[in-house]
Amino acid sequence: MQTIFCDDPQRAELLSGLYRRPAAPATVEKAVAEIMDDVQKNGDEAICRYLEKFDGVILTPPEFLVSEAEIAEAEQSVDPAMKRAISNALEHIRAFTLKTLPSDWSFSPRAGVVQGERFLPMDRVGCYVPGGTAPLVSTSIHTVGIAAAAGVKEIVAATPPMKNGKVNPATLYALKAAGATEIYKLGGAYAVAALGYGTATIRKVEKLVGPGNAYVAAAKKKAYGSVAIDMVAGPSEIMVIADKDANPVFVAADMLSQAEHGSGLEQAVCVSDSREMLAAVEAEYLRQKESLTRQGPIDKVTEKGIFLIEAADMAEAAEIAGEYAPEHLEIQTADPEKVAADVKAAGAIFLGAWTPEPAGDFTAGPSHVLPTAGTAKFFHGISGADFMRRSSIIKYTEEALLAEVDDILRFAEMEGLDAHGRSASVRRDRVIK
């Protein structure tokens, strides 16, 4: 845990280091590249090897796909209260997604010209659901549920198997309830490779979405181009802006909610204009940590990923948040909307003391698949629109084209592309004749 005060002589350097954090270290990218190349070359045979190496499971290619019998077994074993929680969250997610879906539109910007856009759902997408350190049941509905609401017909999910060769029952139930049409027992970089490149058993997808550790982030980065991706996002992170009147119990609890993911690369940051608040948050963090079950993973993050930053005022706190561009930004201040208005980048913003980040992780509505490592400056959390194709529509009348032929010819001349120019001029010549 590290505290950075306003008068720290290395403050600018320390903050700059936080702003430049990588989604995946270079050593991880090298290891992932070898896995991806192997799967691309050797297909199912490589998948079988990595299933045994990384997940301790021996499966044949026909066993990659979860069977209907396994789905039925999972449905019987999941507690009714858990099913209701999944159903309620799905309802919220679908409602939000439907509000975000784009609609076809058109207009006439000048006489004889009609322009617009058309939106259609993709045919086949892949959703990665992590399960290495914890079964992320919620990711099932925050990816598959959104794709289904967007109208995607084939929704392929991949999630790591347990040691018994099966998928966690709650995860499997949630995937089916959300609308997954195929579910594969695959994890990490080799799962990304299987969906992104395809094998004899697994047809490739058009787009791959979902969160994951640094290995998954690096794999998605390498697969990009063979398949579309939502973003390059690595380990979880949270930043909390807290003023002097914030509740340190709430702040510490929310920081721990992300630290417990526990790969060791997560970050939890508190920014405050009160040194007393920072001290209280530190004490609360250490106190609450001792009562949690995932002590080992939390300790790994506590050592290197917890930061307490003093800001001169709330304006600077907002500036720091915008530069850090966190995956999750909580604002626990007297006027959170005012502070949020000055933050230029964040994956998701949680306003007020009664809006904890886990509400966004589980039940709120917007997807919890969000950009990390500062990439919120140019990526965004997934939405229904991310599962749709956009086509621009253009229509000219004869008169409208003739009015622009001379300009088209001038551009063709500037670029040395006479065939481009002729495409327009032959139409004018025909009219003149």
Side-chain angles (χ1 to χ4, degrees):
M1 186 179 297
Q2 184 173 0
T3 303
I4 304 173
F5 293 119
C6 287
D7 56 2
D8 190 322
Q10 295 181 300
R11 185 171 188 264
E13 182 180 348
L14 293 170
L15 290 178
S16 180
L18 277 177
Y19 301 155
R20 296 196 309 268
R21 63 204 184 280
T27 52
V28 169
E29 292 197 358
K30 184 175 184 297
V32 164
E34 295 175 1
I35 294 171
M36 301 284 285
D37 291 342
D38 188 11
V39 172
Q40 190 171 23
K41 179 180 179 182
N42 298 303
D44 289 339
E45 184 269 327
I47 296 294
C48 289
R49 278 191 281 107
Y50 291 125
L51 269 165
E52 183 174 8
K53 178 178 179 179
F54 295 125
D55 295 305
V57 172
I58 297 175
L59 296 176
T60 63
E63 294 172 317
F64 296 166
L65 181 68
V66 172
S67 68
E68 289 299 322
E70 289 174 299
I71 294 172
E73 180 185 356
E75 185 171 4
Q76 291 297 315
S77 68
V78 177
D79 181 85
M82 293 181 178
K83 290 180 180 178
R84 283 195 298 274
I86 290 169
S87 177
N88 290 339
L90 259 175
E91 183 179 346
H92 301 164
I93 289 163
R94 285 170 173 157
F96 184 86
T97 299
L98 292 174
K99 283 289 187 182
T100 70
L101 293 180
S103 300
D104 294 357
W105 62 272
S106 65
F107 82 129
S108 179
R110 51 198 180 273
V113 177
V114 177
Q115 299 172 353
E117 291 182 327
R118 185 186 71 169
F119 298 89
L120 292 172
M122 293 180 175
D123 294 323
R124 182 175 175 83
V125 302
C127 300
Y128 182 73
V129 178
T133 60
L136 296 189
V137 180
S138 57
T139 300
S140 305
I141 57 178
H142 281 265
T143 53
V144 173
I146 296 173
V152 178
K153 292 183 177 64
E154 296 181 13
I155 306 173
V156 186
T159 192
M162 302 183 294
K163 296 302 181 184
N164 63 2
K166 297 182 178 182
V167 172
N168 174 274
T171 301
L172 187 50
Y173 174 81
L175 285 169
K176 188 64 177 180
T181 57
E182 298 167 42
I183 305 169
Y184 290 96
K185 307 168 189 175
L186 309 173
Y190 72 88
V192 173
L195 296 181
Y197 301 141
T199 72
T201 300
I202 304 165
R203 286 193 296 119
K204 77 184 295 293
V205 299
E206 296 169 347
K207 187 167 189 173
L208 180 61
V209 306
N213 60 19
Y215 288 85
V216 171
K220 288 169 67 178
K221 181 178 178 181
K222 181 167 172 56
Y224 179 66
S226 174
V227 64
I229 64 171
D230 50 351
M231 68 192 85
V232 178
S236 292
E237 59 194 27
I238 184 172
M239 175 177 280
V240 184
I241 296 177
D243 63 15
K244 63 182 180 60
D245 296 319
N247 188 329
V249 175
F250 291 1
V251 175
D254 297 349
M255 293 173 70
L256 282 160
S257 75
Q258 298 309 293
E260 76 173 342
H261 283 295
S263 73
L265 297 174
E266 291 80 8
Q267 289 187 355
V269 184
C270 177
V271 182
S272 179
D273 56 356
S274 165
R275 288 196 180 191
E276 291 75 18
M277 176 55 62
L278 294 177
V281 168
E282 179 178 9
E284 265 301 316
Y285 179 97
L286 295 173
R287 183 188 70 80
Q288 291 185 34
K289 178 175 76 72
E290 296 305 314
S291 65
L292 297 172
T293 57
R294 294 171 62 81
Q295 286 289 310
I298 290 173
D299 284 341
K300 286 195 297 184
V301 178
T302 301
E303 181 181 354
K304 294 183 178 180
I306 305 301
F307 299 88
L308 305 171
I309 302 172
E310 182 187 23
D313 49 35
M314 282 295 112
E316 190 191 30
E319 181 181 347
I320 291 171
E323 289 298 324
Y324 184 82
E327 177 187 18
H328 309 105
L329 175 64
E330 290 188 0
I331 304 178
Q332 299 190 30
T333 64
D335 191 348
E337 287 84 0
K338 181 179 179 181
V339 177
D342 292 329
V343 176
K344 68 180 181 182
I349 300 174
F350 302 79
L351 300 175
W354 297 101
T355 316
E357 187 280 334
D361 273 350
F362 300 141
T363 61
S367 180
H368 74 197
V369 182
L370 299 164
T372 69
T375 61
K377 292 180 179 178
F378 43 84
F379 284 133
H380 57 259
I382 67 171
S383 69
D386 291 306
F387 294 105
M388 305 192 81
R389 302 190 185 102
R390 179 183 67 86
S391 299
S392 56
I393 304 294
I394 305 170
K395 182 179 181 180
Y396 276 65
T397 63
E398 177 184 305
E399 293 78 9
L401 179 66
L402 294 178
E404 296 182 19
V405 166
D406 285 342
D407 290 341
I408 293 171
L409 290 172
R410 296 297 81 77
F411 274 99
E413 181 182 352
M414 288 187 282
E415 297 183 6
L417 300 173
D418 54 346
H420 279 62
R422 184 176 298 164
S423 173
S425 65
V426 293
R427 287 170 166 78
R428 183 178 61 184
D429 294 345
R430 181 180 178 186
V431 171
I432 292 173
K433 289 179 182 179

